[in-house]
Amino acid sequence: MSHHKVIIIGTGPAGYTAAIYASRANLAPLVFEGAQPGGQLTITTEVENFPGFREGILGPSLMDEMRAQAERFGTEIRSETVLRADVAATPKRVATDKGEYTCDALIIATGASAKWMGIGKDEALSRTGGGVSACATCDGFFFRGKEIAVVGGGDTAVEEATFLTKFASKVTLIHRRDQLRASKAMQERAFANPKLQVRWNAVVEDIATRTQTLATGETVEKISALHLKDTVTGALDELAVEGLFVAIGHQPNTHLFAGQLPMDAAGYLQVVPGTTRTPVAGVFACGDVQDHQYRQAITAAGSGCMAAIDAERWLGEQG
Ligand code: FAD
């Protein structure tokens, strides 16, 4: 069992940024990358809103750059998934699929995953630039002048549908029931929006696609329509769209810490506001795992920086 000053769990923008700062502070962090090396941005194509890349950058390339930057300062990254963590022990204990480790400070950057509809095609098309997304802030700009749909009925779905009317020519909000869960004020704003229509009592049964040939000669499958089923009558019909946003929630990757660290009702880790400190001394959380508000690469990276600085200061105080 090897001992480390700092262990970081996760290699999304939060984990890599924490690693860059911690390694430059001579803390020699050990990082576990888990099942998704590079995190969520490795399953997307163009990222246009990460500062420093005026022409945009492919998600996987951005993450390769972050990884190389962390390694340049001596970060050790292991292809291991953390299976158990005992955060109350001194030193803290971490067990992966390949070994056991101890550390003084633990930085949790395990991210969150978008919930998909469970029909397979939605998640697959989101990975290949096929016109399906779970993030309006990230991808709304790509749908200027297009007819699109949003699936969901909560605050996030209604807010995203309203936001997307800034770009799309028409937004259809598809909801499985005959009333929304979103707050009244948000609903009123949505109903007053001439570009937004609600399709009540409907679920997406399937996604139709067409093959598009890119300038490079490559072909890509693009969404062309949704096959909808009426949840009351069972009737089937088709809605032609060029984009689909799935807004049925996110799942923070926090199961490892159940019963050990406080979480909100949706399972996000709770930190002392304005810091990355959890209530357990020496345990810090950064990125989407503690942020249900913004969930952006830049905010994840920013809080990864905070976590490394918080950990460095805490280690300094321990003498
Ligand atoms: P994540 O990126 O989720 O990374 C989590 C890491 O933790 C992964 O490496 C995973 O393997 C690891 N992990 C989890 N559990 C374990 C475990 N038990 N043991 C070891 N490791 C573990 N944001 C933007 O700013 N711009 C965009 O254009 C944009 N586009 C997006 C497109 C898509 C399709 C998606 C899904 C998201 C997009 N986002 C975008 C959001 C952005 O990707 C996230 O906000 C960001 O990746 C969060 O970073 P993170 O470091 O907190 O976690």
Side-chain angles (χ1 to χ4, degrees):
M1 190 179 320
S2 58
H3 181 77
H4 304 263
K5 272 190 199 148
V6 177
I7 283 180
I8 298 170
I9 312 177
T11 52
Y16 279 150
T17 306
I20 292 165
Y21 275 78
S23 52
R24 291 189 78 254
N26 283 334
L27 295 173
L30 174 64
V31 181
F32 297 117
E33 65 183 5
Q36 193 173 48
Q40 293 172 62
L41 282 186
T42 60
I43 58 162
T44 192
T45 48
E46 206 66 46
V47 177
E48 291 192 329
N49 54 9
F50 199 88
F53 302 93
R54 69 167 92 167
E55 302 296 337
I57 181 167
L58 291 175
S61 308
L62 177 60
M63 299 318 297
D64 286 349
E65 287 296 325
M66 287 192 199
R67 182 190 186 96
Q69 193 175 353
E71 285 177 332
R72 180 179 154 217
F73 300 113
T75 296
E76 185 185 350
I77 301 169
R78 293 201 184 171
S79 301
E80 298 180 30
T81 296
V82 176
L83 303 179
R84 288 183 309 281
D86 181 352
V87 301
T90 308
K92 301 170 203 323
R93 299 168 74 92
V94 171
T96 73
D97 50 348
K98 294 193 183 139
E100 294 201 18
Y101 306 83
T102 57
C103 62
D104 297 321
L106 180 66
I107 296 179
I108 302 166
T110 49
S113 315
K115 288 185 191 162
W116 298 102
M117 293 183 294
I119 60 171
K121 260 193 190 166
D122 52 348
E123 187 172 0
L125 286 165
S126 78
R127 290 166 186 258
T128 54
V132 178
S133 170
C135 177
T137 309
C138 311
D139 297 325
F141 197 70
F142 297 120
F143 295 90
R144 276 162 294 170
K146 298 188 171 167
E147 296 198 5
I148 63 171
V150 176
V151 171
D155 276 348
T156 307
V158 177
E159 199 173 344
E160 299 219 332
T162 306
F163 170 76
L164 287 164
T165 60
K166 289 181 200 248
F167 312 100
S169 57
K170 181 178 160 195
V171 178
T172 305
L173 179 63
I174 299 167
H175 185 44
R176 57 169 62 239
R177 291 183 242 285
D178 61 3
Q179 52 186 347
L180 299 167
R181 293 189 312 280
S183 67
K184 274 278 165 295
M186 210 176 276
Q187 289 192 38
E188 277 165 20
R189 196 150 58 93
F191 294 149
N193 189 323
K195 281 184 167 183
L196 202 159
Q197 290 183 354
V198 186
R199 177 68 194 266
W200 302 107
N201 297 323
V203 289
V204 177
E205 288 263 290
D206 200 4
I207 298 173
T209 58
R210 64 186 161 79
T211 306
Q212 184 181 319
T213 306
L214 305 175
T216 56
E218 282 173 273
T219 57
V220 58
E221 287 301 304
K222 291 273 185 188
I223 184 171
S224 59
L226 298 175
H227 293 160
L228 301 179
K229 182 177 177 182
D230 191 297
T231 54
V232 178
T233 64
L236 302 172
D237 73 61
E238 201 175 275
L239 177 72
V241 289
E242 289 187 81
L244 171 66
F245 286 81
V246 180
I248 55 177
H250 282 76
Q251 183 65 52
N253 301 319
T254 51
H255 58 278
L256 287 174
F257 309 103
Q260 299 194 62
L261 293 172
M263 300 173 195
D264 68 12
Y268 288 86
L269 292 180
Q270 290 183 318
V271 294
V272 177
T275 78
T276 60
R277 277 187 281 129
T278 71
V280 175
V283 179
F284 307 88
C286 52
D288 283 11
V289 74
Q290 51 82 56
D291 170 21
H292 57 89
Q293 282 281 30
Y294 302 105
R295 284 195 302 254
Q296 294 297 294
I298 189 67
T299 48
S303 69
C305 153
M306 290 167 66
I309 293 175
D310 286 345
E312 184 192 355
R313 289 184 181 154
W314 179 81
L315 286 165
E317 286 162 14
Q318 307 313 300

